[in-house]
Amino acid sequence: MNSYDCRDRNVVQTSGEEKPTFGNPGKLIIFRFSIGSSDVGHHDANITKVRLIITCNLKKNRFLKCAATTMAQTKQKIFRFTFTHFFAMLLTVMFIVTVVLTFKLLTNDHCNCPRQETVIQYVAKPKHYTNKGYESNHKLAVLVPYRNRFEELMEFVPYIHDFLNGQRINHDIFILNQVDSNRFNRASLINVGYLETKSNYDYIAMHDVDLLPLNKNLTYLYPQQPFHLAAPHLHPRYHYEKFIGGILLINREHFNLVNGLSNKYWGWGLEDDEFYVRLKDANLNITRPENISTGMNDTFKHIHGKDRKRDTVKCFNQREVTRRRDRQTGLHDVRYKIISYKSMTIGSAPLTVINIELLCDRNVTPWCNCEVSKTEKN
């Protein structure tokens, strides 16, 4: 035993090898010893010294009641941050970031694969132009199916914009530009145009780009029933009773009611005849202009170029299918992608071009591309 000492307010002090002198009963006597770790059985290399504390209480009979405790004094290790530690931390951070990014990529759906449901991809919101002093609180979306008709478009937009302003119609013009490689599908483009505008407009005009109204009494006001502006007795070319093409006004509720137009009509013609049947099946009354003083030659201007050929080709079983009422397709299953919105003006007339890619299910309508049929035959 190397040394011991006693320190307290009410204890007997001892030092060296002197025997402690015990005082009166009740005194508290504390012995503290600093000894080597091997002396008390400690073999931990980190422990250098052991402090032994003996606490004694002197009883009346001069009998010492003592208790002993030990406290180990360990070496203090100094941590040194090295390049190895830095490199290990860097690898750990990189691993965590990689795991997080991989998880996000796996949980996000970026697939542009064709789907059975409607595919809508908004690239930008269209800019809507407003005018003051409208005839009513209703808003008209002029939907113009379009592909490669630039000359007609340059004449149509300024003309129809001024015509509608003359009637104080709150309107916007949307050019539904089909940009895919499939055959032209007027009906599906109108379905897409309606879906893209229905939240901001309460009625639409299904409007051909090559037909301009000349008579100021041809009104574009909100229709309570479907209103066929280009009536058979006024249209310069088509005069049969069931014809409802050219220009047709219909409100949002009725267009929803009949589920829009059929999506099976790729190529030119017959989609408006099928739409006529839809309107009749829904017990809607098709109205037409009355008390118009002009006739077939001077009510409308038809600006369709004579050298522009219509796509009247029929392939696969198209002729058979498109002669029947379509009860399968319509607004609910038109498949498309919006490539972009382009707001622009022609002269002072504003318009929005919606570039649309129509998606074709060849199992349902293989005639969306008749070139495939020709290839198979060869």
Side-chain angles (χ1 to χ4, degrees):
M1 185 176 297
N2 297 326
S3 63
Y4 61 88
D5 62 279
C6 299
R7 299 184 186 90
D8 210 332
R9 295 191 303 271
N10 195 26
V11 298
V12 176
Q13 302 293 326
T14 66
S15 62
E17 295 296 328
E18 298 178 359
K19 295 182 180 180
T21 303
F22 303 111
N24 297 327
K27 293 284 187 177
L28 179 66
I29 304 173
I30 300 176
F31 297 87
R32 292 186 174 89
F33 300 89
S34 295
I35 60 179
S37 60
S38 59
D39 294 336
V40 290
H42 284 283
H43 301 289
D44 190 334
N46 294 323
I47 299 177
T48 57
K49 291 183 179 181
V50 177
R51 182 177 294 276
L52 178 64
I53 302 174
I54 301 176
T55 304
C56 299
N57 191 11
L58 184 63
K59 302 295 183 179
K60 292 182 178 181
N61 57 3
R62 301 288 180 172
F63 179 76
L64 285 174
K65 185 177 181 180
C66 302
T69 59
T70 61
M71 295 178 61
Q73 182 177 347
T74 60
K75 295 180 181 179
Q76 293 183 352
K77 291 186 177 181
I78 300 176
F79 177 77
R80 297 181 181 276
F81 189 81
T82 65
F83 178 78
T84 303
H85 296 120
F86 170 78
F87 188 72
M89 291 179 62
L90 181 62
L91 289 178
T92 303
V93 172
M94 292 176 64
F95 174 77
I96 294 173
V97 171
T98 302
V99 170
V100 172
L101 292 178
T102 303
F103 177 78
K104 288 186 176 181
L105 288 174
L106 291 176
T107 53
N108 288 338
D109 183 14
H110 294 288
C111 180
N112 289 325
C113 308
R115 301 181 180 180
Q116 294 300 319
E117 68 273 16
T118 300
V119 180
I120 304 177
Q121 295 183 348
Y122 291 96
V123 178
K125 293 183 177 180
K127 180 180 179 181
H128 300 296
Y129 299 84
T130 57
N131 299 312
K132 295 181 179 179
Y134 300 129
E135 184 69 22
S136 70
N137 294 326
H138 298 289
K139 296 179 67 177
L140 169 65
V142 181
L143 304 183
V144 185
Y146 177 85
R147 176 188 266 176
N148 300 330
R149 306 286 290 275
F150 182 73
E151 293 180 1
E152 289 93 332
L153 182 67
M154 295 295 289
E155 183 175 357
F156 171 81
V157 172
Y159 183 90
I160 200 65
H161 177 65
D162 291 340
F163 191 91
L164 295 175
N165 280 343
Q167 297 185 2
R168 294 186 296 173
I169 303 295
N170 185 3
H171 71 280
D172 285 311
I173 302 170
F174 295 90
I175 307 302
L176 312 175
N177 184 31
Q178 185 175 338
V179 298
D180 55 79
S181 60
N182 295 319
R183 301 171 71 191
F184 189 66
N185 192 323
R186 177 179 181 269
S188 290
L189 289 174
I190 293 173
N191 283 342
V192 173
Y194 172 79
L195 291 173
E196 294 296 306
T197 61
K198 66 178 182 178
S199 59
N200 295 316
Y201 302 86
D202 50 4
Y203 70 116
I204 64 172
M206 300 160 50
H207 213 301
D208 287 353
V209 72
D210 58 3
L211 196 62
L212 305 178
L214 300 177
N215 192 317
K216 302 298 183 181
N217 294 321
L218 295 172
T219 177
Y220 282 75
L221 288 172
Y222 179 85
Q224 298 298 329
Q225 291 288 327
F227 182 61
H228 184 213
L229 200 68
H233 66 284
L234 300 174
H235 195 280
R237 184 164 182 172
Y238 303 106
H239 313 301
Y240 59 96
E241 181 59 29
K242 295 181 179 180
F243 173 69
I244 57 171
I247 308 170
L248 179 72
L249 307 182
I250 184 171
N251 63 46
R252 182 170 54 195
E253 290 73 20
H254 290 160
F255 198 75
N256 268 324
L257 177 65
V258 299
N259 193 24
L261 290 91
S262 168
N263 297 309
K264 294 184 177 181
Y265 290 85
W266 301 89
W268 180 84
L270 297 180
E271 78 286 338
D272 48 355
D273 293 346
E274 198 275 342
F275 190 59
Y276 175 90
V277 179
R278 292 189 178 213
L279 297 178
K280 288 299 183 180
D281 286 350
N283 295 318
L284 295 175
N285 181 31
I286 301 172
T287 60
R288 292 186 166 110
E290 297 178 353
N291 301 321
I292 301 297
S293 58
T294 52
M296 297 178 184
N297 297 323
D298 54 357
T299 303
F300 294 96
K301 180 181 178 181
H302 194 228
I303 57 176
H304 186 87
K306 295 181 179 180
D307 57 344
R308 190 182 299 279
K309 296 181 179 180
R310 292 184 171 91
D311 179 10
T312 59
V313 176
K314 298 293 185 289
C315 60
F316 296 95
N317 60 333
Q318 179 180 5
R319 189 181 304 276
E320 176 187 351
V321 172
T322 55
R323 289 290 180 181
R324 298 196 301 262
R325 164 78 158 91
D326 176 17
R327 301 184 184 277
Q328 290 79 42
T329 71
L331 282 175
H332 71 284
D333 68 344
V334 60
R335 301 173 61 232
Y336 68 98
K337 294 180 182 178
I338 298 298
I339 303 303
S340 63
Y341 284 92
K342 301 292 183 183
S343 296
M344 59 185 68
T345 58
I346 299 177
S348 60
L351 68 146
T352 299
V353 177
I354 308 179
N355 292 314
I356 302 167
E357 178 184 346
L358 295 179
L359 305 177
C360 172
D361 185 350
R362 299 186 186 279
N363 293 322
V364 179
T365 57
W367 53 87
C368 64
N369 190 340
C370 285
E371 295 298 324
V372 177
S373 177
K374 294 179 181 179
T375 303
E376 291 177 354
K377 290 180 180 180
N378 293 335

